[in-house]
Amino acid sequence: MGEIFAGRYELVDPVGRGGVGAVWRAWDHRRKRYVAAKVLQQRDAHALLRFVREQALRIDHPHVLAPTSWAADDDKVLFTMDLLRGGSLAHLVGDHGPLPPRLVCVLLDQLLAGLTAVHAEDVVHRDIKPANVLLEATGTGRPHLRLSDFGIAMRKGEPRLTETAYVVGTPGYFAPEQLLGAEPDFPADLYAVGLLALFLLRGEQPDAQALMLSYEHGVPDAPEGVPEPLWQVLAGLLQPDPQARFRTATGVRKALGAALELLDEDATVRPGGGQRPADGLEVFDHIGPLPPGYGPDGPEPAGAAPAPSADAAGPPTAATAWGLPSAPTAPGLSSAPSGPSGTGSFHLAPPTQPSPPLGTGPGHESGHGAPGATPTPLQPTQTSRPGALPVTAPAPDTPGGPGTAPVPGGSAPGDAASGGPMRARSRPGPPVKVAVPVLVLALLCFAVGVWGLTQS
């Protein structure tokens, strides 16, 4: 089993890395479900402060993956989120190559819906890229994405954790004003959305520097593989001047909806020629199966050896009681190979082991039970053979009381013939009707002895 964090979260297996820590699949023992847990060592003060900022973010939106709880334990801290199994947009392009424009419009609309909720909280994400947009594992159904990883996000007006000369984010997805050290603002996030859209449409990371230079003489022509109606929207996102760019995610969604109506519904031209259907893509499960010891309902209990079926195994035998093999034959006495006289040796269960009552039928009085039968207590007998080993055995309360039963052939658990370990056996005490006369006789002898001493 995995490490249990703060008495609640059981770390199962690592599933990736975020901006400021490792991400694990974990079992939440309180909520009884699997979650994604981001774990951070409490060493770097800057990273810890970013961690605190991220876990404090609470945005409830179907297209935002925000923290749901947090905990601290020793030198580590973690916060949890919903566990998404479909990988990221980077995985989707890696699986299928460039995506159809209509599908890209669907994905962008969901991303912009989530970004609208983020911006409504005065939060600038600052790290929008394909790896930070995660997907549900929907198979061939409609994709469902969620914007994640708010490790470097900040609210407008909050103090920055880095010097002005440093830029925080992912190279290749910076807005031009970010490179100049401007304060983070919503249009910078929208610029990153435009770059992400080009990645989805073309299957490769765009050259942001070359793209910015192409705007020196006005809006450039649509790149290969990008339909003109969709490019009109993306061109407004990729304006180098933030004042000429879309200002809100809501405005981009409206323009995107209008462009979607002008797109071909059946097929799209791929870069390099050829066509592909606009649907039929599958969002695969990228996390994989649970490791041994875990099931859909959480950690599995330690497996115990399955008990044999009552129908197959029957009642307990002397062989199982003593740790010896038993033959799967008919009920009766557990037999050993027969001697010359045809009388098989048998093993008695220990006195403390319960046994079913002895059945009726030929051979039981003489000890000639059927081979492989269940061992049972024997009736007491007054006869014995030369060489027989007496073994105590309980018997019913009958006239004559309990006694000893000889083992034919001299074999019993613990002797040399049986091969079993030697075990001490206790003999039952004498019956009351025998013990009382003996006690009276002993008292008389004692009294006579005392009288003799007084006379001398």
Side-chain angles (χ1 to χ4, degrees):
M1 295 299 171
E3 175 188 358
I4 297 182
F5 194 96
R8 174 176 176 181
Y9 303 104
E10 184 168 338
L11 303 183
V12 178
D13 56 346
V15 294
R17 290 197 64 85
V20 294
V23 181
W24 289 71
R25 170 164 48 186
W27 175 256
D28 186 342
H29 282 269
R30 183 179 302 174
R31 299 176 67 185
K32 303 299 181 185
R33 70 187 188 103
Y34 286 102
V35 297
K38 183 180 289 188
V39 184
L40 174 71
Q41 296 279 349
Q42 300 186 48
R43 295 175 181 171
D44 184 354
H46 278 82
L48 183 58
L49 185 52
R50 294 192 192 283
F51 185 97
V52 171
R53 280 186 173 180
E54 184 172 4
Q55 69 82 23
L57 186 66
R58 296 290 187 268
I59 299 177
D60 186 12
H61 190 275
H63 296 297
V64 176
L65 185 61
T68 56
S69 61
W70 72 280
D73 194 357
D74 295 333
D75 64 335
K76 298 177 184 177
V77 291
L78 69 69
F79 64 79
T80 65
M81 303 161 287
D82 293 339
L83 181 64
L84 303 188
R85 308 181 62 90
S88 67
L89 290 182
H91 290 108
L92 189 64
V93 172
D95 291 336
H96 301 288
L99 305 181
R102 293 186 65 84
L103 176 60
V104 171
C105 288
V106 171
L107 296 172
L108 289 179
D109 183 69
Q110 294 181 9
L111 175 59
L112 290 165
L115 198 56
T116 299
V118 173
H119 290 172
E121 297 292 330
D122 271 349
V123 173
V124 183
H125 189 280
R126 297 206 295 171
D127 200 18
I128 294 176
K129 59 183 179 181
N132 285 345
V133 182
L134 304 183
L135 294 160
E136 305 275 4
T138 55
T140 56
R142 181 182 176 88
H144 186 98
L145 66 75
R146 298 177 73 176
L147 177 60
S148 71
D149 204 335
F150 291 80
I152 62 173
M154 63 176 294
R155 295 185 186 274
K156 293 181 65 174
E158 281 186 339
R160 300 174 66 173
L161 301 180
T162 56
E163 298 178 13
T164 306
Y166 290 90
V167 179
V168 177
T170 300
Y173 290 90
F174 289 129
E177 65 271 21
Q178 286 179 282
L179 295 175
L180 299 176
E183 288 294 319
D185 203 352
F186 304 145
D189 281 348
L190 297 177
Y191 188 90
V193 171
L195 293 174
L196 183 147
L198 287 181
F199 169 78
L200 298 179
L201 290 164
R202 309 194 67 194
E204 58 185 11
Q205 181 175 323
D207 186 342
Q209 184 68 21
L211 186 63
M212 183 176 65
L213 293 175
S214 68
Y215 275 83
E216 290 182 351
H217 305 287
V219 177
D221 294 335
E224 184 181 4
V226 182
E228 185 63 30
L230 182 54
W231 172 245
Q232 293 303 317
V233 179
L234 301 185
L237 287 171
L238 296 170
Q239 284 283 353
D241 182 3
Q243 300 301 321
R245 201 179 301 155
F246 279 103
R247 303 295 298 173
T248 66
T250 301
V252 183
R253 292 187 70 192
K254 291 180 180 178
L256 195 62
L260 182 61
E261 296 178 357
L262 303 176
L263 295 180
D264 183 3
E265 294 190 8
D266 298 324
T268 179
V269 178
R270 299 183 65 178
Q275 291 185 334
R276 66 176 296 167
D279 55 8
L281 297 185
E282 181 174 359
V283 181
F284 301 110
D285 186 335
H286 282 268
I287 290 185
L290 289 162
Y294 295 89
D297 298 324
E300 297 175 339
S309 169
D311 294 335
T317 66
T320 57
W322 288 98
L324 302 174
S326 59
T329 52
L333 292 174
S334 176
S335 65
S338 299
S341 63
T343 303
S345 63
F346 58 89
H347 298 168
L348 294 178
T352 56
Q353 182 72 19
S355 300
L358 184 66
T360 59
H364 287 282
E365 291 291 340
S366 62
H368 297 176
T374 305
T376 56
L378 299 181
Q379 296 291 342
T381 177
Q382 302 299 323
T383 63
S384 61
R385 292 186 190 172
L389 178 65
V391 179
T392 60
D397 290 336
T398 57
T404 60
V407 179
S411 146
D415 66 7
S418 68
M422 295 299 294
R423 287 174 171 82
R425 292 185 180 272
S426 61
R427 186 183 302 274
V432 175
K433 60 184 178 180
V434 175
V436 170
V438 171
L439 180 60
V440 172
L441 180 61
L443 290 175
L444 288 175
C445 292
F446 177 78
V448 170
V450 171
W451 178 82
L453 290 174
T454 59
Q455 294 299 319
S456 61

